[in-house]
Every structure is written in structure tokens, then in C-alpha cells.
Amino acid sequence: VQGVVKKFQIYTSSIRKNKVGNCAESATLTAVAAKANGIKGAYVATLASGNKHIDHDVVFINAERPYIIDTCLGFADY
């Protein structure tokens, strides 16, 4: 557990220090927060349209009624 905590501290400290982050960092932090709050089936997903990847990450919650949390755009929806 200490190794995981240390890695997370390094990850978040670089975001704080440089005051930068994109949708990937936001989605990662959101997925961690969801899991820490007991939400199961939360993972970071990269959006795609057909075979084309869209450069945007969100958190997908694989639940009885799946939904997406988009931290950068500031919404969650089914």
C-alpha cells in the first residue's frame, strides 16, 4: 500500500508544482476519487469514433446503469 501511496504523491505533486494537467490527469484523479469513495468499476477511457481515437479521456463507470464522468467539461451523464 505504501508504494501505491508514494506513486500517487509523486503524480499529484508534479501536477501541483507545474500547475498543469490535461484531461488524462483529470480523469486519473477522478477515477482514484471514485474508487476511494467506494464506486466500483471506475476506469479511465479514451474516446473514439469508429477506428479514430479522439484525444480526450473520461472516466467510465461500469455499473448497473453505466455512466461517464468528464472532469474537463464538468459533467457526468448516462
Side-chain angles (χ1 to χ4, degrees):
V1 173
Q2 287 180 337
V4 173
V5 171
K6 184 67 175 170
K7 287 180 185 179
F8 188 72
Q9 288 172 335
I10 292 168
Y11 185 78
T12 56
S13 68
S14 66
I15 294 169
R16 265 195 315 269
K17 177 183 173 191
N18 298 310
K19 295 185 178 14
V20 294
N22 59 24
C23 59
E25 285 83 12
S26 295
T28 299
L29 294 174
T30 301
V32 169
K35 291 176 183 179
N37 282 287
I39 298 173
K40 296 179 181 170
Y43 62 90
V44 176
T46 301
L47 299 181
S49 177
N51 291 333
K52 182 179 177 183
H53 280 81
I54 300 170
D55 190 22
H56 190 68
D57 290 350
V58 297
V59 176
F60 181 76
I61 308 294
N62 189 14
E64 186 175 319
R65 185 170 181 195
Y67 59 99
I68 291 175
I69 301 172
D70 190 324
T71 311
C72 285
L73 297 179
F75 74 91
D77 204 350
Y78 291 96

